Each structure stands twice: as structure tokens, then as C-alpha cells.
Amino acid sequence: MDKNPASPRILLISQWPNVKNGEYELIEKIKQTGYTIKVVDYFGFDVESGLCLNTASLHHDYDFAISFHYDTPKFLNLPTFLWVANPLEFMHLRGDYRSVLLPHLRAYDEYLYNGSDLLKRHIKNVVGSEWADSQLEMFPACSLRELVPPKSLDQLGTEAAHKVFYCGVNWERGIDRAGRAQGLLDILQEKDAADFYGPNKLEGISPWEGFSSYKGEIPFDGVSMTQVMRQYGAVLAVSSPAHIKSETSSSRVFEGIAAGVPVISDENPHVKHLFGDLVYYFSGSNEQERAQSVLTALQAINSNPAEARNRVILAQELMAERFCFEPCFERALHYRQERMTASCTTLAQKSLDVVLLHHDADPEAGGSTSDLLNLQHVIEAAGQAAQLHGVHVRIIACGGALPSQPNLPVDVSLIEFKAADLTSRDWAKLRLGEKVALLTPKAQADFVTFLTQFDYPKYDAFSKALDWFAAAPAERANGMHIGGFYVNDQSQVAPLGTVGILRNNTSTALYRWTQNSLAEHQLSTLMFGAKALHLLNQDQIERFDVLLPISLIAAAAGCSLPSHRSRHILQRVKFGHFHRHYEAYRKATEKGFWAQHYELQTNYNHELNALYDVHHESPIAKEIIDQVSGHALPAMPPVDPAVHAVNGFIGRLRPIYRYYKRLRDTVGLGAGK
């Protein structure tokens, strides 16, 4: 393991930790750099030890994380890059692109591009006005340590050295009953010019059935592929239609060159752009012509091995300079270090108050605690905001027990108010809106945000919100920043899919108000400019608890205040506020009708009605509330009068029919009696 302090410390996020596939192979290759590397799932659980690394100090322990797939959400408390290499067609064919994949793509801190201009333009569109070209790159290559020099001319005498190597999943055949290059491979097999490798079984189908030149599977271990490739005269790289359309390519060309073997590729523009004439190419208008073109290229390699060897040497020099992991990751490390120390002076000398209060919608539920266990996360986020924006951050704690006196960063202070100093009422029985109304006069800063003990801000939660205010400080001084969040209590490793994980980082234009909005908002995600604090007037918020953030956002919209929904997920919420309340509500309903109305801190149905009390004069706010409450749903279609008359007649007959059945059973009338 490379302990050089200049070497990056990296977390690699595996979407499918226990599946041996191309992602697994790539991760194994990255480990060969010798850098400090851990493989984690998207919740941050170490695949090897099972420990959750996604802690308050993660951004001190590691430099950055890399995600390899668009299905992977950005949940780690660490700068995280998405590797942009998958064909765009694979994403755009998905029915959940708008609701799932697009928020996934937008959430990342930065992106590692694979040289495809089309894929970079896609990310530019996805990120929108915030996009900047970082020029960071990553390729499915290898470590500098694993570049294998091409064989000398006197080592090229084996039979296999005059054949091409082809390895593929052949997964299209499992769907369409024919692979991406069925005719091409058939002809090469007839000519005894190729050997084929790949999985023996795919979804219960044998994708290589009928190929006598099929030689078996190659383990996804980062080593075996190179060893097998070096037995052959050339590596054949065949692109899928999706790769061609998206102007990207698979890893095969990089793997062949890393193994020191000449590569014969189809005329993929991405390969040509990266390697030029250092790779041999084949083409043709039909499979016969394409096969002949491959054979011609193979003959050129066999007849002039010195030129072929020189091409590989030059390609490996290019790999070492640009494509190998070390130059890519060291540039990423440099970028990360610059971003972590770059300061913005626009808000210098201004102040941020972070109000940390104790509140629990269901004190009897599991996970309840009187301690403010998230304090260290709050301190880390406060320190980052102070460092990057030059603001003084004051953490105001109330209602919960603080840990022992923590170490505070420069320009971060901590004060505590006792609940008894604010009110004579029982703090635990107050609604969230009542608590915020009591604490708002204590907040005197230019920016204010409120968190409960269940809200765990990421290290950059406050600094990213301040970035938005700093971009237009005068216009946004009365604005509201809405950060993204996800709900997870870190009790279990990440599931394969993300369907059941509550999160929201949808952009302002794409967000749709629905009844699901009740669960899709957390007070902790809101940061207020000082001129927006009038929204926290006691008369306007005291009736609200679980719907407080919705009421505040609706009020801001009704007043035409500037607001922004961040693309970034800035908070991990241990328990979603609405779901925690709803569980208490459900338990209360089991006791009887009145328990749900009198025994709880609040009742969300009451709050839905209270929203109209506050916002009925604002058409914009009222429209939001109609969507959230369900009043905007289409009314039931009118019943045809004739159908209504028939239903009424049947209804009048039903009691008579029941009486007849009882009489029949009593006197023994009916069939079979």
C-alpha cells in the first residue's frame, strides 16, 4: 500500500459488491495502484469488514470517492466523482430516468470523463448552469505498475500468436437470440482465426452455444485477462451499437494495449479519438467484409511484427502519460485539494447561526434519545463553511444533552439555551413550529438554519448552501436554499436497488408537489437569508410540525422570494420526520378515534387544514397546498343517472333478498331439499 502523503486515499463505491462483473474487475485493477483504497457500498459500509465508514470524519480520512454507475446514488460524506463512461442509450431507455437517474447524475460533486465529448455534453446539460469543465478524466485502463511490455519478436512463434483474442459477455444474444457480432464471429471461427472467451451462462442461456472456438470464462480478478491476452497475436474490440451512438467505448482496447498486445478495433470514433493510428481498424458494409477486414489487419500484424510492436509501445507511452489510473487520480487529488482550500470572500465577515434543537415526533419509537448525537457532524459542516466563506458560525443548542465539550474549529462557537429559559411549557410536547418560533429571536445572523438531533449534515452542507447565497448576495438575502437529503439510520448495508430509500434532491423546475411531498421535506434542509426570517413569525408557524417546511416553502413562493432546490444531497436524516410522526399517528388510531387527535404532539391532517388558514390569500401557496393535501386530484366522474337508478333499485331489493334467503333456509325451500 502506497503511504506517500501525496498519494490519494480513495473510496471505491461498488453498486453490486458481491457480483463478479466488469465493475468488480475495474475495482481490482485500481487496487493495483497501491494507493490507500477501500471498497464500500453506497451507504458507506466497508465491503470487507462490514463497518460503516460514512462518519463525521470521513472527509479527513479519505480524499475522494469514485462511483462507477448511474444507478449509484451519492450518499457519502466525502467529495465524490462519478465516472462518465456508460452509453447514454442505456440511461435514456429507462422509464425512471426523470425520477431516479437524473437526480442521481446531478448529485455528484464532480465528474471523471472518459474522453467522449458527447457524454461530457450530456453531463453539462444535466448539471445545467452550475457546470464547469473540470477536465478531470478516468479511463478503464490499468495501473502504471501493470503495463506489460510487448513481446520481443522472437517470442511470437506460437499457434495462438497468429489468432485474435475476443472476450465478451455476448449479452445481446441472451435478449435477441443473436450477439452483437454473430456473423463476424462465425466467419472468424470458420477461418480458425480467433478464440472466444466469456461467461458460459447468462440468465439461464448459454451465449456461446455452438461456438467450437469458445475457450471458457476468464475470472474477473484484474490479472487473468492480461495473462490470456498475451497468448494471442491481437485483441479484437467490437463495440455495441449503444457505445457507437454515445461515442464511447468499452475497456477492451485499453486492456489489450496494457497487456502489450496489438488491438484490432471497429471504427469506433471514441477509439480513434484517443488512440489514432496506434490501433488497427476493421470495417465493412456486411459481416463478410468486416471479417475479411479483421483477417487483413491480423495478416498485417503477423507480416510486420516490428511495426505492430512499435504501435503498442507508443500506445503504452500514451497510457502512461494520460490514461493510466495514477495520472488521472493525482489530477483528481489536486483538484480536490484546491477546492477544499479555495475561499470565497463575498460573504466574509458575515455570520451563520445553526440552531440545533431536540425534537421527536414519536418519543416512544426506537432510536429515541435525549442526546444531540449529531453535534460532531454539525461542527464539521460549520468548520467547512467558516473556512471557505470566511463567515463566523454560531451553533445554538437547545432542548437536548450535549456531549462533553468538543473541539471547535476557527470561527465556530457553541452556545446552549435551556428550554426552561425560553418557555414554562413542556419542551417535549411542543410542536416543531412552536420551538422554532421561540428560538428565532435568538438567531441574529445573516443566515440561519435549524436542525434536530436526527439531522446529520454532510461536511459541505452549509458551505454549499452559502455558495448559492454568495452568487447573488443582494438579491438572495431574503431567499431560501433547499438542500437535498436522504433517510438512513446506518443499521444495514445498502440494498442492491434504491427504490425504497426516501430522498429528495430534485431540481426546482422538475419538482412536482404531490401527496408524497409530506415525506419529501425536512426542516434541516432549509437555510434562510436574514431578510427571509419574517417567514418564521410565530402566528404563521406555531400550528405546524411535520408540515412546517412545506408551509415555509409555500410562504416563500407566495411572497415571490428567491428559492433554490440544490442538486446536492447535503443531509443524512436518521428518521424521516413525517414517517416518524405517521408511525405515532398509526399507533394512536389503534386506541380509538379521539386518541389520534388529543394524545399526539400534532396530527398531520390537522396541519393540512391549518395550511389553508395561513395561506388562503396566496394563489401560489394555495395551489401548492391543494397538491399536497390531495384537493387538486380530479373529482370522481359523475355517475350516469340511469346507472344510479338501477343501483338504487338493486339496493332496495337487497334487504328483501336477504329475508328470502333466511326464510328459505328455515323452512327448507330451494333446490336439493
Side-chain angles (χ1 to χ4, degrees), residues 349-514:
Q349 305 306 313
K350 290 187 178 295
S351 56
L352 165 66
D353 279 349
V354 180
V355 181
L356 176 58
L357 59 101
H358 188 277
H359 185 74
D360 195 341
D362 187 4
E364 298 180 2
S368 293
T369 176
S370 60
D371 298 326
L372 301 175
L373 299 178
N374 57 339
L375 178 61
Q376 191 58 43
H377 285 77
V378 176
I379 290 172
E380 293 289 347
Q384 183 77 357
Q387 176 184 341
L388 295 186
H389 285 279
V391 298
H392 174 74
V393 185
R394 185 173 60 152
I395 302 171
I396 303 173
C398 182
L402 291 171
S404 58
Q405 186 63 35
N407 293 322
L408 297 175
V410 176
D411 282 329
V412 176
S413 61
L414 172 65
I415 63 172
E416 182 179 8
F417 287 101
K418 299 298 182 183
D421 296 333
L422 302 178
T423 179
S424 59
R425 298 172 61 190
D426 185 349
W427 184 262
K429 294 183 178 180
L430 297 180
R431 296 185 185 91
L432 183 58
E434 294 174 304
K435 295 178 180 179
V436 169
L438 290 169
L439 285 163
T440 297
K442 304 298 182 183
Q444 303 296 327
D446 299 286
F447 309 97
V448 180
T449 188
F450 297 84
L451 291 80
T452 76
Q453 75 277 16
F454 294 137
D455 302 314
Y456 289 74
K458 293 187 178 181
Y459 77 97
D460 57 353
F462 305 148
S463 58
K464 275 192 165 69
L466 291 175
D467 286 344
W468 179 74
F469 286 102
E475 296 87 341
R476 296 173 181 175
N478 63 341
M480 175 191 295
H481 182 274
I482 308 168
F485 76 96
Y486 76 103
V487 176
N488 181 249
D489 63 1
Q490 294 188 336
S491 63
Q492 295 181 330
V493 300
L496 291 180
T498 61
V499 173
I501 301 171
L502 176 61
R503 72 268 200 199
N504 182 19
N505 64 313
T506 306
S507 65
T508 302
L510 286 179
Y511 187 76
R512 296 174 56 194
W513 290 100
T514 69

Side-chain angles (χ1 to χ4, degrees), residues 170 173-174 177 199-211:
N170 213 20
R173 193 181 189 201
R177 310 301 298 181
N200 185 42
K201 290 290 184 180
L202 181 67
E203 300 293 335
I205 296 172
S206 298
W208 293 104
E209 183 177 355
F211 284 90

